[in-house]
């Protein structure tokens, strides 16, 4: 069997592997294809494409956009995106600037509360990184303020916590428009992560489908076998293609391995072939 991983982060956003290291690791893992889907950026794609040249690995350019649906943050993957599109590049640049302003406020609040954390700490040696709350969690843990990253989220970084600052909201309409403009195959990422019931997920999918959604991430570390089964039948019923990926972040999510997630994830090549046939 041949396997793929259609949801991977590098240090162009909040992963710890460089795009080149991601490609190397994917080849070592024997994967046939991966999609590089960094948050709000395609800046890692060029390096990954180059690194994958003359190797057996197929590199699919992608990104992962965050937007807000009825107060809940949802993520939409854009696979096969035209990462050279100037409108896309400009819009992503603006999104990252917005993110930067939010990070500054979170950092300032933490510093005012006495946490000894700097912007350099957050960047952690990757100057071009897109800083997310995962970076805050890593630094809080490394500096001994929290015992692990999930505690950092629970105590300080999650919605409702003292240092949580909401991101300026991107609407699903705008996110879908951006992805469709750049020729992407849009996929709703990790539906089980939103604490919605299946009926609400379906409602969300109907809205996104009307905006051009084509896929649903059925296989992801956030859904167990039973949930993936439910999602698969929902995808088929709504005419969406099932996809899957590990959401690999290197040592920013130490329990997640490329291609296999927490160990049992397997995304067969046939799913990728279905996406290609539908593009
Ligand atoms: P942001 O886009 O800045 O809001 O942060 C998103 C990052 O934080 C992603 O890498 C998420 O996987 C991670 N994240 C969000 N909530 C949690 C949580 N409760 N535990 C661990 N990681 C989380
Ligand atoms: Zn991430
Ligand atoms: Fe995500
Ligand atoms: Fe992700």
């Amino acid at each position: 069997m041949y396997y793929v991983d259609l949801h991977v982060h590098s240090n162009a956003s909040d992963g710890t592997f460089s795009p080149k290291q991601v490609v190397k690791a994917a080849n070592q893992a024997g994967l046939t294809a991966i999609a590089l889907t960094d948050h709000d950026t395609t800046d890692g794609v060029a390096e990954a494409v180059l690194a994958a040249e003359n190797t057996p690995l197929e590199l699919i350019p992608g990104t992962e956009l965050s937007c807000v649906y009825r107060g809940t943050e949802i993520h939409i993957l854009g696979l096969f995106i035209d990462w050279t599109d100037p409108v896309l590049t400009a819009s992503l640049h603006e999104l990252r600037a917005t993110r930067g302003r939010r990070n500054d406020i979170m950092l300032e609040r933490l510093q005012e509360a006495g946490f000894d954390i700097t912007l350099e700490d957050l960047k952690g040696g990757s100057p071009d990184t897109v800083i997310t709350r995962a970076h805050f969690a890593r630094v809080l843990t490394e500096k001994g303020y929290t015992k692990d990253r999930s505690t950092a989220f629970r105590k300080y970084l999650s919605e409702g916590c003292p240092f949580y600052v909401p991101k300026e909201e991107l609407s699903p309409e705008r996110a879908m428009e951006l992805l469709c403009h750049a020729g992407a195959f849009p996929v709703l990422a990790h539906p089980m992560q939103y604490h919605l019931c299946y009926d609400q997920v379906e409602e969300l999918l109907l809205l996104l489908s009307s905006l051009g959604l084509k896929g649903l991430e059925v296989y992801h570390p956030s859904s167990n076998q039973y949930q993936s089964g439910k999602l698969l039948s929902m995808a088929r019923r709504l005419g969406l293609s099932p996809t899957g990926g590990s959401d690999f972040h290197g040592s920013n999510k130490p329990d997640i391995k490329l291609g296999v997630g927490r160990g049992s994830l397997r995304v067969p090549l046939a799913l990728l072939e279905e996406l290609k046939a539908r593009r």
Side-chain angles (χ1 to χ4, degrees):
M1 280 284 271
Y2 294 97
Y3 296 104
V4 303
D5 187 336
L6 303 178
H7 187 160
V8 175
H9 295 269
S10 75
N11 66 3
S13 66
D14 58 348
T16 56
F17 282 37
S18 68
K20 200 171 151 184
Q21 289 171 323
V22 167
V23 167
K24 189 173 172 200
N27 272 314
Q28 280 169 348
L31 294 169
T32 302
I34 61 166
L36 189 68
T37 54
D38 278 308
H39 300 279
D40 302 343
T41 186
T42 53
D43 285 357
V45 170
E47 181 183 321
V49 167
L50 189 68
E53 259 174 37
N54 305 315
T55 80
L57 186 79
E58 178 181 353
L59 194 288
I60 296 157
T63 189
E64 179 174 21
L65 298 186
S66 311
C67 54
V68 178
Y69 166 75
R70 298 186 182 166
T72 298
E73 183 178 315
I74 61 165
H75 292 177
I76 304 174
L77 300 168
L79 304 178
F80 306 102
I81 201 161
D82 177 6
W83 52 283
T84 60
D85 181 275
V87 175
L88 175 78
T89 320
S91 308
L92 293 179
H93 194 267
E94 180 50 37
L95 279 181
R96 294 198 297 278
T98 306
R99 215 183 235 291
R101 290 190 288 274
R102 177 243 203 167
N103 289 333
D104 291 344
I105 300 173
M106 284 183 57
L107 181 60
E108 228 174 77
R109 286 198 193 166
L110 283 160
Q111 287 170 339
E112 277 166 9
F115 291 87
D116 175 25
I117 293 175
T118 65
L119 189 60
E120 291 312 302
D121 295 332
L122 292 170
K123 287 184 179 167
S126 307
D128 299 325
T129 188
V130 173
I131 295 172
T132 70
R133 285 178 295 152
H135 293 72
F136 283 89
R138 185 193 50 154
V139 172
L140 284 167
T141 308
E142 278 173 3
K143 297 215 161 185
Y145 291 117
T146 49
K147 79 172 184 336
D148 54 32
R149 292 156 211 245
S150 58
T151 310
F153 270 94
R154 208 177 50 248
K155 283 180 76 176
Y156 300 123
L157 302 172
S158 291
E159 232 171 300
C161 297
F163 304 106
Y164 173 78
V165 177
K167 276 182 293 196
E168 241 171 84
E169 296 188 4
L170 184 69
S171 68
E173 285 78 7
R174 180 81 188 104
M176 288 295 298
E177 189 183 303
L178 251 175
L179 295 176
C180 292
H181 168 86
F185 189 102
V187 175
L188 178 68
H190 43 62
M192 288 297 106
Q193 217 163 281
Y194 310 135
H195 309 290
L196 302 173
C197 67
Y198 289 108
D199 284 348
Q200 290 171 316
V201 171
E202 182 156 342
E203 213 176 320
L204 167 61
L205 289 172
L206 289 172
L207 167 74
L208 294 176
S209 293
S210 76
L211 302 170
L213 192 77
K214 291 186 180 165
L216 179 63
E217 193 173 47
V218 164
Y219 306 103
H220 182 273
S222 65
S223 44
N224 61 31
Q225 218 177 343
Y226 170 78
Q227 293 166 324
S228 292
K230 295 273 284 183
L231 292 171
L232 179 61
S233 53
M234 194 182 294
R236 290 300 182 205
R237 189 152 39 78
L238 300 178
L240 296 167
S241 298
T243 77
S246 66
D247 215 346
F248 178 74
H249 280 72
S251 55
N252 274 340
K253 286 192 184 169
D255 54 333
I256 299 294
K257 290 201 168 50
L258 200 61
V260 298
R262 290 200 188 80
S264 58
L265 185 90
R266 294 289 183 284
V267 185
L269 176 61
L271 293 189
L272 174 60
E273 282 164 352
E274 183 184 324
L275 303 191
K276 287 181 178 171
R278 263 192 81 175
R279 278 181 70 198

